[in-house]
């Protein structure tokens, strides 16, 4: 019974970690560039709307469930003495928690809250200054969490491959 449970946990881990990596990546390669090209007053309002809408039941499993799934997979692999696979899933969970989830909570979310608390100026120059300061810093931190969530996914993929090799799946 343990092997099918571990296999299911691996699939969930891969799906969730790929989903969150893709979510962060989409902000890097399209969303922020689009907002940067827009009127900064519109960009600020749109970013506030997106930040408000992301707190939902579709996003939560990928953001909060990824480390849970990765951790559970690591535990199941450790219990089966699949040390290489377990170590890779443990590393994947650690990278995601420290460099994607906590980074989001400690840096991006406070930046989002500060932007939401800022009155959008009618003056284009003032709005452009607010947006330029916010966007450049936010994008830097988003690129870090994108790269590290991608690394987390790759570690999980390597963990899945190690599990498969050891089980001859």
């Amino acid at each position: 019974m343990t092997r099918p449970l571990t296999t299911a946990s691996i699939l969930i881990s891969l799906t969730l970690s790929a989903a969150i990596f893709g979510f962060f990546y989409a902000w890097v390669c399209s969303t922020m560039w689009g907002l940067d090209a827009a009127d900064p007053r519109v960009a600020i309002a749109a970013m506030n709307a997106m930040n408000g809408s992301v707190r939902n039941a579709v996003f939560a499993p990928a953001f909060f469930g990824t480390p849970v799934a990765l951790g559970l997979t690591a535990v199941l692999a450790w219990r089966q003495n699949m040390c290489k696979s377990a170590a890779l899933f443990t590393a994947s969970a650690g990278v995601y928690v420290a460099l994607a989830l906590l980074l989001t909570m400690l840096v991006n979310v406070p930046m989002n809250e500060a932007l939401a608390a800022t009155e959008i100026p009618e003056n284009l120059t003032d709005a452009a200054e607010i947006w330029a300061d916010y966007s450049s810093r936010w994008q830097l931190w988003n690129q870090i969490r994108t790269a590290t969530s991608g690394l987390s996914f790759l570690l999980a993929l390597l963990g899945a491959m190690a599990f498969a090799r050891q089980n001859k799946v």
Side-chain angles (χ1 to χ4, degrees):
M1 182 61 184
T2 306
R3 185 172 160 200
L5 181 60
T6 306
T7 301
S9 186
I10 287 170
L11 293 174
I12 292 167
S13 292
L14 290 173
T15 301
L16 292 176
S17 60
I20 197 65
F21 170 56
F23 175 81
F24 292 146
Y25 180 73
W27 286 89
V28 169
C29 66
S30 64
T31 305
M32 293 306 290
W33 293 346
L35 291 174
D36 284 348
D39 178 314
R41 296 166 294 197
V42 172
I44 294 168
M47 187 68 168
N48 286 337
M50 286 184 280
N51 287 332
S53 72
V54 79
R55 297 178 193 119
N56 63 61
V58 177
F59 173 74
F63 186 71
F64 296 108
T66 295
V68 174
L70 292 167
L72 174 62
T73 302
V75 167
L76 291 169
W78 285 118
R79 290 185 66 202
Q80 294 172 72
N81 204 28
M82 303 281 187
C83 297
K84 185 173 183 180
S85 179
L88 288 162
F89 277 102
T90 300
S92 176
V95 165
Y96 178 77
V97 168
L99 298 171
L101 189 137
L102 286 177
L103 180 63
T104 299
M105 302 305 286
L106 297 174
V107 177
N108 291 85
V109 169
M111 287 182 70
N112 295 344
E113 291 171 347
L115 184 68
T118 302
E119 186 173 327
I120 300 172
E122 290 183 27
N123 179 292
L124 183 61
T125 304
D126 292 343
E129 186 177 308
I130 291 167
W131 180 253
D133 178 58
Y134 170 86
S135 177
S136 62
R137 289 183 302 118
W138 193 93
Q139 287 188 63
L140 169 68
W141 292 109
N142 185 61
Q143 290 166 3
I144 293 168
R145 68 185 184 170
T146 300
T148 56
S149 64
L151 174 60
S152 176
F153 171 73
L154 290 175
L155 289 167
L157 184 59
L158 291 171
M161 292 167 61
F163 183 83
R165 275 192 305 274
Q166 201 163 357
N167 277 291
K168 309 276 191 274
V169 175

